Amino acid sequence: MASADSDTQPTEAIPHAVKIIVAGGFGAGKTTLVSSVSEIAPLSTEELMTEASYGVDDLGGIEDKTTTTVALDFGRITISDDIVLYLFGTPGQDRFWFMWEELAEGALGSVILADTRRLDTCFHAVDFFERRNLPFVVAVNRFEGATAYSEEEVREALDVSASVPVVMADARERMSSKEVLVELVSHVLRSRQAALSG
Amino acid sequence: MSAERHRRHDRNEPGHDREFPQILGAHEDEEERFLRPYAVDAGVAGPDAAGPRGRRGAEQLEMLSLVVAARTPGRHEWLRPERETILMHAQRARTVVELAAEVRLPLGQVRAIAGEMLADGSLQHCGPTRPLGHSDILHAVLVGLRSL
């Protein structure tokens, strides 16, 4: 460590910090995916939210604003000296919706993890990213005991456009999670090129 | 009103908990030894300041804003251990969200404390060493992910 008087002069390259959002319903495997592909054990911080949750939670007569703690888990992948990629899982419960805005701000894109046993739990995520024009892919996380649906069936059920990739995945497997991220970034690049040439 | 409730009421008076020395002061009352959350961030990170557009608009930090310590912890930091910890963890450039995870404080509080530290010069913003366009970043991320 430098002496107390000297200025700290960082000698290493300072990277760009970029992020990808991993969204999906509660229990869809977001943290599993982040863990399997992150170079570190996922870090966790929490955000204190002061929000009137009237109409969302049944607070039965509590009229004051309440402070809620929202856990925020994230992983990290060092791409190069110049770029560090962060993977943020969205808070699973719908009532933490308001945190998504900040998470989505400046994100490269999003992975929406779908559980075919409860596809409806990712409708919100699809709507959210469509409205913000943030590119996303749908990754169908294979759960044991879940009926195997085809990509087309999932696409139809979620009503996503033909350009949105729908891929099968196993969030527990590092290589599978990696492929999902590769699919997303390829999709983002294709979308950009289409936008530029169109 | 009981004596207990009455004492609590006194301590909730506006401004009282912002006086750091009073909280740490030589009160014999053993309840006074417990720091309230406000003391951690000197009253900066009230609930209104927790969000990205909190009331102290000047130095609101994004989750991925990069900061680095502009100095090593000084003699006075024992009064403010969170700042000391932040300075120690930020000897190398860190994102705000990583700092929050490392110092185990809520993101909103770290945002507020780091904002104050930027204002008083003990932390500095740092930008990427090599500027890259969005396309370059995307291509590099793709290559990097493929090679995992």
Side-chain angles (χ1 to χ4, degrees):
Chain A
M1 191 178 282
S3 72
D5 296 323
S6 70
D7 285 344
T8 304
Q9 292 295 338
T11 48
E12 76 232 286
I14 295 171
H16 290 260
V18 296
K19 64 183 164 183
I20 285 175
I21 312 300
V22 181
F26 188 69
K30 301 181 291 287
T31 309
T32 309
L33 186 142
V34 172
S35 307
S36 72
V37 76
S38 173
E39 70 196 11
I40 50 165
L43 294 170
S44 185
T45 181
E46 53 187 36
E47 184 67 304
L48 299 175
M49 285 293 162
T50 307
E51 286 288 309
S53 20
Y54 178 79
V56 179
D57 291 349
D58 181 9
L59 293 175
I62 300 174
E63 284 151 26
D64 287 342
K65 288 205 264 181
T66 55
T67 300
T68 312
T69 302
V70 189
L72 194 60
D73 298 327
F74 60 98
R76 189 176 70 204
I77 300 171
T78 301
I79 298 292
S80 66
D81 288 346
D82 287 322
I83 301 167
V84 177
L85 173 64
Y86 292 86
L87 301 171
F88 284 92
T90 55
Q93 296 93 327
D94 288 348
R95 65 202 186 90
F96 298 140
W97 200 236
F98 45 84
M99 269 210 75
W100 287 44
E101 293 286 352
E102 194 192 353
L103 283 173
E105 184 71 38
L108 297 184
S110 169
V111 172
I112 299 178
L113 268 176
D115 175 351
T116 53
R117 295 168 302 183
R118 339 168 238 193
L119 268 185
D120 58 321
T121 58
C122 59
F123 289 171
H124 281 308
V126 172
D127 286 345
F128 181 89
F129 295 120
E130 275 181 350
R131 273 204 306 276
R132 278 156 193 79
N133 285 322
L134 188 71
F136 63 92
V137 298
V138 176
V140 180
N141 197 8
R142 294 181 200 273
F143 283 91
E144 310 224 346
T147 314
Y149 292 95
S150 73
E151 179 194 317
E152 280 317 306
E153 286 171 307
V154 172
R155 183 187 298 285
E156 196 171 321
L158 292 179
D159 192 24
V160 291
S161 91
S163 63
V164 173
V166 176
V167 295
M168 301 296 154
D170 184 339
R172 297 167 300 182
E173 296 292 331
R174 175 178 159 86
M175 282 301 124
S176 180
S177 299
K178 165 197 146 176
E179 286 306 324
V180 170
L181 296 178
V182 165
E183 190 64 51
L184 171 66
V185 180
S186 307
H187 173 56
V188 176
L189 279 164
R190 281 195 303 272
S191 306
R192 278 176 60 87
Q193 275 154 10
L196 289 175
S197 64
Chain B
M1 186 184 282
S2 72
E4 164 77 10
R5 274 180 58 83
H6 191 68
R7 273 211 304 279
R8 273 202 194 137
H9 182 74
D10 283 349
R11 279 190 282 127
N12 280 337
E13 276 177 16
H16 182 103
D17 39 345
R18 302 198 178 185
E19 297 295 326
F20 218 68
Q22 261 182 281
I23 291 175
L24 285 177
H27 290 276
E28 293 304 316
D29 182 349
E30 67 175 9
E31 280 186 42
E32 296 286 347
R33 290 200 310 231
F34 296 100
L35 291 181
R36 301 173 54 175
Y38 303 106
V40 170
D41 49 42
V44 176
D48 296 339
R53 281 167 286 279
R55 64 189 146 95
R56 298 181 70 93
E59 286 290 356
Q60 282 301 325
L61 290 159
E62 305 280 325
M63 289 194 301
L64 292 186
S65 297
L66 282 155
V67 293
V68 68
R71 59 179 179 82
T72 47
R75 277 176 304 178
H76 307 298
E77 246 75 49
W78 65 273
L79 270 173
R80 299 186 290 189
E82 295 74 25
R83 290 178 183 232
E84 180 176 16
T85 315
I86 287 174
L87 282 178
M88 289 189 310
H89 282 280
Q91 291 296 306
R92 293 170 56 191
R94 281 280 182 284
T95 57
V96 171
V97 73
E98 277 174 300
L99 273 181
E102 287 168 0
V103 306
R104 295 172 188 276
L105 283 175
L107 183 57
Q109 278 185 337
V110 171
R111 261 199 245 264
I113 299 171
E116 292 282 296
M117 293 173 74
L118 284 167
D120 73 20
S122 43
L123 282 182
Q124 288 174 349
H125 274 295
C126 47
T129 310
R130 233 159 60 89
L132 288 172
H134 194 60
S135 262
D136 295 334
I137 290 176
L138 284 169
H139 281 108
V141 169
L142 186 57
V143 170
L145 286 172
R146 279 193 173 132
S147 65
L148 282 183

